Amino acid sequence: MSKLQPARGTRDIYGVEARNMTCVVDTFRRVAGTYGFEELATPIFEFTEVYKRPLGEASDIVSKEMYTFEDRGGEELTLRPEFTAGVCRAFISNGMQQNLPCRLMSYGPAFRYERPQKGRYRQFHQINAELLGQDTPEADIDMIAMAWRLLRELGLGEKVVLHLNTLGDKESRTAYKEALVTYLNKFKGDLSEDSQRRLESNPLRILDSKDEGDKKIVTDAPKLSDHLNETSLNFFETVKKGLDIVGVPYIHDERLVRGMDYYCHTAFEFVTTELGAQGTVLGGGRYDGLIEQLGGPATSGVGWAGGIERLAMLADVGEAPERPVVIMPMGEAATFKAFEIAEMLRNKGLTVTADRSGNMKKRMNRADKANAAFAIIIGDNELEQGTAMLKRLDDGTQSEIAFADIAAAIQFN
Ligand code: ATP
Ligand code: MG
C-alpha cells in the first residue's frame, strides 16, 4: 500500500475544482428540470448482469473496465461503470412503464478500470439523462437540444462541436456489418490485435479505433450511410431537420459509432479540441432494445451522459464562496456573545466564521488569507457598552457599532 495516497486513478476533489463540478451538476439539474426531467438515484453497485447483458461481453467496458467483485454473501456485483443500464433496471424494477414517457436525470460517480491520465480517471463523475418510451426522432431532438442548452449555459457554446451520426435500424446495421466485415477481412493481418478480436465480436467498433494502422484501413471502408434503408434515412433526416430548427450546429461524422451494443439510429458526441485525447465531454444516442434485453417490456430509449470532470475543466464556472465576516471575541464573556451575534448575522444570510485564538495581528492575518470582507472585534469594553468594533478589511476603516446595528452596517460594495 502506498501510504496516504488515494488509490490509482482516484482523486480528492476540493477547492476550485469542487466548486466547478458542483456548478456543472447544479446547471444540469436546472436545465434538465426545464425539459421535465425528474431525479432518479440508483445504487452505485448492481448485480453484474445488469451491465454485462446490455453492454455486451465485447464492449470495452465489460471486457476490461468493470470493477466486479463478489460480496460476502456471494453475490456478483459491479460498481456502476455507466448509468444507462442501471436506470433501465430501475425503470423495470419500479414499474415505470405505467407512466410513459419517462424523463429521468441522474448524477454521481462511475468506475472504470482505465489507464489514468488528465480527464480520465478510475472513479469519475457523470451527469446522465434518459428519455424512455418515445421511439420517434423528435425525442432525439429534445435530448440533443437539452444537451446543447446545458453546454451553452456552461459557456461552452464556442468550445464544443456536435458530432452526429446514425447507426440505422437493425436491418441496416446487419447489412452494413456484412459489407464491413467482408472488406476488413481482406486486411485482417494488418489490423491491430484489438480490432482483429472486434472483427468477430463488435466490428462497428473498428471504425473508431485509435490505432493509426486501423485508421488507414478504415478510410476506404464501405460507408454506413450507403447501407441505410428508408426508415433509417427518414429517421436521420428528421433529427437533422429538428436540430436545424432548434439551432444546434453539427457535423455528420460517419466514424462515430459509440461503444455499447445497444445503440441504434442516432449517435452523438459533443467534442472539444481543448482537452487533448480526452475531448469528448458528452455523448449518447438511441437504444431501442436495452430494456427488453434486461427482461422488461419493449421500450425505446434515448439518452446521454456527460463527464463532470471534463465539463468542469472546460467551463470553469464555479462561483467563489461568499467572502466571510470573521468575528473575533477577546475573552470568555465576549466568546459567548459572539455565538449570538454570529447566528444573528447568519439569519441575514451572511457567511460568518469565528476566530477565537491568538493575538489580534495573527487573527487579522488569517482573516486576510480567508479573503474576509469584515472583522467584528468584541472585547470586554465593547461588551459592557453593547457594541462591537466593525472593521472593513479592504480599506481598514473601522467604527464602533451597537450589536443590534451590525447586520445593517455590513455592506459589501
Ligand atoms: P472515451 O472515448 O473518452 O473513453 P467513452 O465513450 O468511454 O469516452 P461514455 O461511456 O460515452 O465515454 O461516457 C460519457 C462521458 O463520460 C464521456 O464523454 C466523458 O466525458 C466521460 N468519461 C468517460 N470515461 C471517463 C473517465 N474514465 N474519466 C473521466 N471521464 C470519463
Ligand atoms: Mg472509454
Side-chain angles (χ1 to χ4, degrees):
M1 187 177 79
S2 60
K3 258 182 258 155
L4 301 177
Q5 292 295 317
R8 187 165 148 78
T10 69
R11 299 163 323 122
D12 303 307
I13 298 161
Y14 58 95
V16 177
E17 189 179 14
R19 293 201 289 271
N20 284 341
M21 288 176 64
T22 300
C23 181
V24 168
V25 173
D26 289 349
T27 310
F28 166 65
R29 293 174 63 196
R30 180 167 47 74
V31 169
T34 67
Y35 285 77
F37 281 67
E38 295 203 45
E39 293 206 21
L40 165 68
T42 62
I44 265 174
F45 55 83
E46 298 268 357
F47 293 122
T48 296
E49 273 307 299
V50 170
Y51 297 112
K52 208 173 191 173
R53 222 186 303 166
L55 293 169
E57 302 266 2
S59 66
D60 281 354
I61 290 186
V62 174
S63 65
K64 49 190 184 200
E65 294 176 355
M66 290 202 313
Y67 278 89
T68 296
F69 60 98
E70 197 180 293
D71 76 0
R72 288 164 198 272
E75 301 285 10
E76 270 287 322
L77 302 172
T78 292
L79 298 185
R80 170 168 72 203
E82 59 106 44
F83 279 69
T84 307
V87 170
C88 290
R89 195 275 308 140
F91 172 86
I92 299 168
S93 306
N94 297 285
M96 293 184 191
Q97 68 267 18
Q98 300 308 326
N99 212 348
L100 295 179
C102 242
R103 300 181 180 88
L104 300 168
M105 61 162 135
S106 312
Y107 54 90
F111 305 84
R112 296 183 192 176
Y113 189 79
E114 304 207 63
R115 196 167 68 76
Q117 44 202 299
K118 186 169 183 258
R120 188 177 298 283
Y121 314 102
R122 290 181 175 176
Q123 173 173 342
F124 60 103
H125 299 79
Q126 287 188 333
I127 46 175
N128 189 85
E130 311 288 351
L131 170 46
L132 303 172
Q134 275 188 1
D135 59 7
T136 52
E138 288 77 12
D140 307 41
I141 299 166
D142 278 337
M143 291 305 287
I144 297 175
M146 181 166 101
W148 178 237
R149 179 176 289 274
L150 167 69
L151 292 165
R152 273 181 306 155
E153 296 222 357
L154 291 173
L156 301 181
E158 305 288 315
K159 291 191 179 177
V160 297
V161 176
L162 170 60
H163 290 238
L164 179 73
N165 196 17
T166 177
L167 306 177
D169 60 8
K170 204 165 190 173
E171 184 187 88
S172 305
R173 240 180 5 268
T174 307
Y176 175 63
K177 264 189 203 168
E178 237 166 71
L180 182 66
V181 169
T182 306
Y183 167 83
L184 289 173
N185 262 322
K186 288 190 279 186
F187 304 94
K188 191 167 178 187
D190 301 327
L191 286 171
S192 69
E193 234 171 79
D194 268 353
S195 288
Q196 293 194 19
R197 238 186 316 110
R198 291 183 188 130
L199 202 48
E200 318 241 305
S201 56
N202 197 356
L204 286 185
R205 275 298 271 179
I206 299 175
L207 294 179
D208 78 344
S209 168
K210 309 262 165 10
D211 180 88
E212 287 305 319
D214 291 352
K215 278 189 190 169
K216 275 202 194 104
I217 296 171
V218 161
T219 314
D220 295 322
K223 287 195 148 84
L224 178 59
S225 52
D226 294 330
H227 292 78
L228 296 174
N229 59 19
E230 207 180 322
T231 313
S232 302
L233 281 171
N234 287 339
F235 197 104
F236 195 42
E237 282 310 313
T238 306
V239 171
K240 289 193 288 187
K241 186 174 167 197
L243 294 182
D244 288 339
I245 287 171
V246 180
V248 190
Y250 61 85
I251 54 177
H252 181 185
D253 178 355
E254 293 225 37
R255 294 281 159 68
L256 179 64
V257 289
R258 310 268 314 146
M260 332 293 180
D261 275 0
Y262 50 69
Y263 280 107
C264 61
H265 290 295
T266 314
F268 64 91
E269 287 184 346
F270 284 90
V271 182
T272 174
T273 51
E274 293 186 21
L275 297 177
Q278 277 59 251
T280 306
V281 294
L282 186 153
R286 174 165 286 279
Y287 50 90
D288 282 353
L290 197 160
I291 291 176
E292 225 174 336
Q293 206 172 21
L294 281 173
T299 311
S300 59
V302 53
W304 52 252
I308 298 178
E309 284 87 351
R310 294 185 196 178
L311 289 166
M313 263 192 272
L314 266 193
D316 197 18
V317 281
E319 281 171 29
E322 295 290 331
R323 295 180 70 186
V325 173
V326 184
I327 193 159
M328 302 176 179
M330 315 297 282
E332 198 180 325
T335 297
F336 287 102
K337 189 68 192 174
F339 284 112
E340 230 176 81
I341 295 173
E343 290 305 327
M344 179 184 85
L345 297 178
R346 291 185 188 113
N347 285 343
K348 304 276 179 201
L350 293 167
T351 299
V352 186
T353 61
D355 188 340
R356 307 183 183 101
S357 66
N359 61 31
M360 187 53 65
K361 191 165 171 231
K362 278 199 178 131
R363 296 195 205 190
M364 284 300 168
N365 278 340
R366 281 194 291 256
D368 273 343
K369 273 201 192 129
N371 191 29
F374 291 90
I376 299 171
I377 302 143
I378 315 174
D380 287 345
N381 278 347
E382 282 97 344
L383 202 58
E384 260 167 38
Q385 290 156 23
T387 63
M389 186 66 80
L390 178 67
K391 184 164 178 176
R392 175 187 287 272
L393 296 173
D394 286 341
D395 57 15
T397 54
Q398 53 185 38
S399 48
E400 196 158 326
I401 305 219
F403 292 149
D405 299 331
I406 295 177
I410 292 179
Q411 298 291 338
F412 276 81
N413 34 46

